[in-house]
């Protein structure tokens, strides 16, 4: 019997984890956010592409006989509109209180939006990967949620980001693939299934081209 994606329990987040795939990942990420919040964990969401859906959180709360407001009070969502805001928010996670979980929805969005020839494009990616590396060293739990795209620029950036993550959850058409420490385990029963100093980066170097 095939199971819905939302039946998949959230991973035990230790450092940097990654959820990816062509479809279904944002619905699953909201299920995981809700379940982690139900455990009483403070959740910080960085929403880089208008992906956060409070109504999905409310529905999950109702399914667990919990008032939506109770669940939403444990979740802080920051809408990210510019590359500099993105980098500042990412570094802010470093100073967040321990015990919480950070979820970054579409972290490569602003990197991809910057013009390919703009010098700020690589600065943005390098700065973000630097923050991820520091978060990993500090064992801060972070869930990255990024949909797959068919573009060379995306693949090069995604591969660098994925190199810092473990485990990596990939939603495939008929399975969920979980890769950890370069060892891959596939479950077939599921349906549809790097430290830049940001203060030194000026806005014009991150301008779109």
């Amino acid at each position: 019997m095939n199971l819905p994606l939302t039946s998949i329990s959230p991973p035990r987040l230790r450092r940097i984890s990654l959820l990816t795939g062509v479809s279904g990942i944002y619905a699953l990420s909201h299920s995981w956010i809700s379940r982690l919040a139900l455990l009483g964990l403070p959740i910080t969401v960085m929403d880089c592409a208008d992906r956060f859906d409070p109504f999905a959180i409310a529905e999950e709360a109702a399914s667990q006989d919990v008032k939506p407001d109770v669940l939403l009070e444990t979740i802080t969502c920051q809408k990210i509109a510019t590359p500099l805001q993105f980098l500042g928010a990412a570094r802010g996670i470093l100073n967040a209180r321990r015990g919480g979980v950070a979820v970054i929805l579409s972290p490569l969005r602003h990197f991809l939006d910057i013009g390919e020839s703009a010098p700020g494009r690589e600065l943005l990616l390098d700065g973000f990967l630097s923050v991820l590396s520091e978060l990993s060293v500090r064992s801060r739990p972070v869930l990255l949620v990024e949909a797959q795209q068919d573009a060379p620029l995306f693949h090069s950036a995604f591969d660098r980001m994925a190199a810092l993550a473990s485990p990596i959850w990939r939603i495939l058409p008929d399975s969920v693939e979980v890769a950890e420490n370069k060892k891959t385990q596939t479950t077939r029963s599921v349906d549809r299934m790097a430290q830049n100093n940001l203060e030194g980066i000026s806005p014009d170097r991150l301008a779109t081209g």
Side-chain angles (χ1 to χ4, degrees):
M1 179 187 217
N2 289 335
L3 300 174
L5 285 175
T6 52
S7 68
I8 305 174
S9 298
R12 186 175 182 180
L13 299 176
R14 299 182 298 273
R15 295 183 180 176
I16 311 299
S17 301
L18 172 63
L19 173 61
T20 188
V22 175
S23 64
I25 64 169
Y26 294 105
L28 180 56
S29 69
H30 280 70
S31 176
W32 285 359
I33 290 170
S34 300
R35 297 187 194 190
L36 291 170
L38 283 169
L39 296 175
L41 296 173
I43 311 295
T44 300
V45 177
M46 283 177 55
D47 184 5
C48 305
D50 291 323
R51 292 290 189 176
F52 183 71
D53 183 2
F55 295 104
I57 303 297
E59 289 179 0
E60 184 71 26
S63 70
Q64 300 294 328
D65 294 325
V66 176
K67 291 182 179 180
D69 290 348
V70 173
L71 206 57
L72 289 168
E73 283 176 357
T74 68
I75 302 170
T76 301
C77 179
Q78 184 173 7
K79 298 285 188 178
I80 305 300
T82 68
L84 278 179
Q85 185 186 10
F86 171 77
L87 288 175
R91 289 196 64 85
I93 298 174
L94 289 170
N95 301 319
R97 59 177 175 144
R98 285 193 167 274
V101 174
V103 179
I104 307 180
L105 304 177
S106 301
L108 296 181
R109 163 70 183 275
H110 292 290
F111 169 80
L112 297 173
D113 282 352
I114 291 179
E116 189 168 347
S117 61
R121 186 168 57 83
E122 289 301 323
L123 281 173
L124 177 64
L125 182 61
D126 289 346
F128 175 55
L129 296 181
S130 174
V131 170
L132 284 185
S133 294
E134 182 64 22
L135 287 167
S136 181
V137 168
R138 299 188 188 185
S139 297
R140 302 299 294 271
V142 178
L143 174 64
L144 308 171
V145 184
E146 184 67 71
Q148 288 289 320
Q149 300 181 37
D150 188 16
L153 183 61
F154 170 83
H155 289 300
S156 62
F158 180 86
D159 289 346
R160 291 180 63 189
M161 181 177 71
L164 298 172
S166 180
I168 299 173
W169 293 68
R170 287 186 175 89
I171 308 302
L172 305 176
D174 62 350
S175 66
V176 171
E177 181 183 82
V178 185
E180 187 167 6
N181 297 327
K182 299 183 179 180
K183 295 180 180 179
T184 302
Q185 177 182 1
T186 302
T187 304
R188 296 285 179 186
S189 62
V190 182
D191 185 39
R192 293 185 59 82
M193 300 273 298
Q195 181 161 3
N196 281 351
N197 185 347
L198 305 185
E199 296 176 354
I201 301 179
S202 58
D204 59 322
R205 298 186 71 184
L206 290 175
T208 56

